[in-house]
Every structure is written in structure tokens, then in C-alpha cells.
Amino acid sequence: MARKTFFSFHYQEDVWRVFNVRNCLVVSNDQAADGFFDGSVFEASQKEGDEALKTFLRNGLKNTSVTCVLAGQYTAARRWVRYEIVRSVLKGNGLLTVDIHDLKNNAKELGVKGQDPLAEVGVYLSSGKIYFAEFKDGKWVKYSDYAAAIPASDLWFDAPTSDNKVVKLSEHCVRYDFVAQNGRENIAGWIETAAGLAGH
């Protein structure tokens, strides 16, 4: 049975590119067709309000062990992508970024490479407690969609030790380029590497 993976992405901008990635996983010879779980909310649940959407996303992450952030030009700043990343850390999922800007959208257009979403979310130590931070308006601020302290034991990577110094999640995760690094053949291996880094 293939590893169940949650895909986090910017639906309106990149859904066509995402389907290209997911299709190659499903038809890959060494992966079961039902082994990859597409956990994107497609942002439809937003109509029900923030709490309903958060519940939907948490449920989407159930039974997954890796979260693969499929990054386009605008993905890093998306509120719900950041929430999926934070909940993935809390769940203990392995994390990786795969840049998909060089795949064509439905208009046959290539995208522009964006920031690594895992470099825009981090953790920091304050008064002996660990919290999430996000990069917003040019500076690091406390992450507002999950403000509680995080037990160090919940992290699969080393907890921060310097007060108020943000450690980006990207420092513990690998970033790939789907086109330049032949993701069609290699993404299943990248997912396994992320799982291994998180101890799965």
C-alpha cells in the first residue's frame, strides 16, 4: 500500500498543475492507485466559516503521514496553506515542498517560481515555551490561527533553543523542483524521504 499523502496548494491558481502531479503519482507503476489522498479543501468549506474550515482540514490530514506542499507563485502567503502546514507539524507528518511553476496551467501558461511556503512558517522559543510564527508583511509574527504553545515532544525536529529566534520549517525539510528534477519519476521517492526524516 502506498503512503497516504496530503497535498497542500493554492486551488484557484494551481489546480491544473496539481492534477498533473497527482496523476503521475496515481499511474506510477510502483504506487497503488488509491495510495495518495488528495486532501485539499478546494476552499469550498470557507462558506461555512473559519472553524468549519479548520475542522475540515484537520479531518483531511487524518490517516496521512506526509504533507506535500505543491508551490506556485502565490502559495506561500495563503492562509489555509499555512494552516495545513502547522497542523501537519502538530500531527507529526513529514513535510516537503515541490515547486510546480514550470508545469502549464489550463491556458498552457507556465508560472513564476514563488517563495518556499515552509520558509514562511517557523517555530520559536519564548519564556521557555515553543510557538509557531509566520512571515507576514516583511516580518515574523506569532502565528494567529494556532496560538497555543507546542510541547517539544510534538516536534520531529530539534526544538528551538534561542529565545525569540525563529527557526524556519524549511531548515528541516527538502525543497524540490518538479520539472527540473524529473518529479514524474522521482516524487514518490521524495515523499518517502520526507516520511523518513519525520521518523515514519
Side-chain angles (χ1 to χ4, degrees):
M1 177 94 177
R3 185 174 299 283
K4 288 208 169 187
T5 302
F6 184 95
F7 295 104
S8 179
F9 56 92
H10 180 355
Y11 182 72
Q12 288 96 336
E13 183 72 18
D14 294 317
V15 66
W16 195 269
R17 298 181 176 104
V18 167
F19 284 150
N20 279 323
V21 173
R22 187 165 177 267
N23 287 344
C24 83
L25 286 167
V26 169
V27 301
S28 170
N29 291 333
D30 60 345
Q31 298 294 337
D34 61 350
F36 288 85
F37 175 70
D38 184 351
S40 173
V41 61
F42 296 162
E43 302 190 6
S45 294
Q46 272 187 281
K47 294 172 186 169
E48 297 177 41
D50 288 357
E51 291 310 310
L53 182 55
K54 288 178 180 180
T55 300
F56 184 94
L57 294 172
R58 289 196 300 274
N59 288 337
L61 280 161
K62 284 180 181 173
N63 304 317
T64 66
S65 56
V66 173
T67 297
C68 178
V69 185
L70 298 172
Q73 183 175 1
Y74 305 109
T75 312
R78 300 293 290 175
R79 176 184 178 187
W80 298 115
V81 167
R82 291 184 175 189
Y83 186 75
E84 290 164 347
I85 290 168
V86 165
R87 294 307 311 197
S88 296
V89 172
L90 292 168
K91 189 178 174 302
N93 275 21
L95 283 160
L96 70 155
T97 297
V98 177
D99 289 309
I100 58 171
H101 60 285
D102 276 337
L103 288 169
K104 291 178 180 175
N105 64 10
N106 57 337
K108 300 196 179 335
E109 299 166 333
L110 297 177
V112 175
K113 186 171 183 175
Q115 296 295 319
D116 182 353
L118 298 179
E120 307 270 298
V121 178
V123 292
Y124 68 99
L125 186 68
S126 178
S127 303
K129 294 184 176 179
I130 303 166
Y131 299 94
F132 285 108
E134 63 178 325
F135 197 69
K136 212 169 186 179
D137 300 323
K139 61 178 189 255
W140 286 100
V141 296
K142 186 175 183 180
Y143 181 67
S144 59
D145 279 314
Y146 188 92
I150 319 153
S153 58
D154 281 5
L155 302 176
W156 53 260
F157 48 84
D158 291 336
T161 54
S162 301
D163 254 13
N164 297 314
K165 180 181 183 300
V166 174
V167 178
K168 300 174 185 177
L169 297 182
S170 59
E171 293 181 27
H172 302 285
C173 307
V174 185
R175 182 182 190 180
Y176 303 92
D177 185 303
F178 189 83
V179 172
Q181 294 177 268
N182 192 12
R184 191 163 293 281
E185 297 294 327
N186 295 323
I187 191 169
W190 300 341
I191 287 168
E192 284 304 312
T193 297
L197 288 172
H200 294 299

